[in-house]
Amino acid sequence: MAEATRPRSKLLNRGLPDEIVIWEILLRLPPESVLRCRAVCRAWRLATSTRDFLLAHHRRQPSLPIICGYGDRRNILVLDHRATDGQLQRVARLDNTFYPKASFDGLLILSKYDMNGALVFSVSYRSSVLVRDGLHWYSVEQRQPILVFDTTSELFRHMCAPVVSIKSYIFEMDGTLGIYSRDNAMGNVDIWVLQNYEGEVWDCKYRVKLPMVDISGQLGLSIDYWAVKAMLVDSDVLLMVMYGQCVCYVDTDGKLIASFRRNRQPLHDCQGWLKQSLVQHTFFTALKGYSVNSWPFV
């Protein structure tokens, strides 16, 4: 961020310049810690409440995979494999009639069903990703072209997709598109990468043999069915494998590198990502009867 856009403030710490305290220390804290720091003093509260600071802080936040935990209530969780503790962090606790469908700028889009199964509110069942100023949708169940909405021209168009099996998903991969598909019977995951965006040229870059024996041995379970999600983490492609109450990370060499467990609650991948934000969305406060943490969020 340009120096000219940074607000001048009073000395926050006698031993450190304001620029270091605000833009090198407070900016690097997780959202919960930033909120707690506001209680330290009025100067810190003002410094961490400016729009420039909040936008810069949001840009530093990682995009974390969203996971659903099932039980008496539906827990919306995110997984940060880099955290030293509490890797599965709860974002919201919902009525079981709600299900997350998408996320953007810290907002969750939910679908809701009544007790008779009638759809009340929903968004597309396709997986989607934002790349190159375009929102890309890809059919999970059918072999169809990729649907693209150009956010600049506000026009729709189609892109070709690789010939893959059903149950394939699209994801963002270092500024371009990736599509991955799984073969439950063989335990394989194919990952395709769009090598040339303008030419719509795809390449099958990885074929990963999942270490199901290692995973089942470590978890002490016999795994018959599993869910998987491909993701880019710190410039490395990883696979998140889910079964029951457990989540595992596997690299493209098929090596198990980490595992997490949430006891007493089955987990399910929601095919979404959450990037936390402290930036206030003005349209919420404009809603009639708006209140924070009201039903159905508890």
Side-chain angles (χ1 to χ4, degrees), residues 3 12 39 41 57 60 75 85 112 118 121 123 153 159 165 174 191 196 222 228 234 241 253 259 266 268 280 286 297:
E3 294 292 331
L12 302 181
C41 64
H57 181 267
R60 293 187 65 92
N75 287 308
D85 56 358
K112 177 179 170 58
F121 171 76
V123 297
S153 65
M159 289 181 64
S165 64
D174 200 19
I191 303 175
N196 186 310
S222 176
V228 67
D234 298 331
V241 183
D253 293 326
S259 63
H268 187 270
Q280 185 177 19
F297 303 96

Side-chain angles (χ1 to χ4, degrees), residues 102-123:
S103 174
F104 180 74
D105 269 353
L107 299 176
L108 283 174
I109 300 176
L110 308 172
S111 65
K112 177 179 170 58
Y113 293 82
D114 65 20
M115 297 306 294
N116 296 320
L119 184 62
V120 178
F121 171 76
S122 181
V123 297

Side-chain angles (χ1 to χ4, degrees), residues 9-29 44 47-48 53:
S9 61
K10 296 180 180 180
L11 189 64
L12 302 181
N13 188 302
R14 293 182 180 180
L16 293 174
D18 294 0
E19 290 293 309
I20 293 180
V21 174
I22 300 173
W23 301 102
E24 298 298 332
I25 299 177
L26 298 182
L27 188 68
R28 298 173 184 273
L29 297 177
W44 281 25
T48 59
F53 176 88

Side-chain angles (χ1 to χ4, degrees), residues 183-289:
D183 183 339
N184 280 43
M186 300 299 295
N188 293 332
V189 177
D190 288 340
I191 303 175
W192 293 75
V193 178
L194 186 60
Q195 297 280 28
N196 186 310
Y197 187 89
E198 289 74 17
E200 301 181 11
V201 177
W202 291 86
D203 175 52
C204 187
K205 190 169 184 179
Y206 304 103
R207 170 161 286 181
V208 184
K209 179 70 174 180
L210 295 178
M212 302 312 294
V213 174
D214 293 342
I215 293 175
S216 59
Q218 180 167 318
L219 302 179
L221 300 170
S222 176
I223 300 178
D224 300 318
Y225 177 83
W226 40 272
V228 67
K229 173 189 282 188
M231 63 187 71
L232 193 68
V233 179
D234 298 331
S235 300
D236 295 323
V237 177
L238 296 179
L239 295 175
M240 186 177 75
V241 183
M242 303 186 61
Y243 178 83
Q245 303 169 356
C246 304
V247 182
C248 300
Y249 275 122
V250 175
D251 64 17
T252 52
D253 293 326
K255 180 181 178 181
L256 176 63
I257 59 176
S259 63
F260 312 95
R261 180 189 293 267
R262 186 176 177 86
N263 293 329
R264 301 183 300 279
Q265 187 169 52
L267 303 174
H268 187 270
D269 170 37
C270 297
Q271 294 299 329
W273 303 82
L274 181 64
K275 189 173 184 177
Q276 296 188 67
S277 175
L278 294 175
V279 181
Q280 185 177 19
H281 295 275
T282 56
F283 68 85
F284 275 130
T285 55
L287 296 176
K288 184 178 180 180

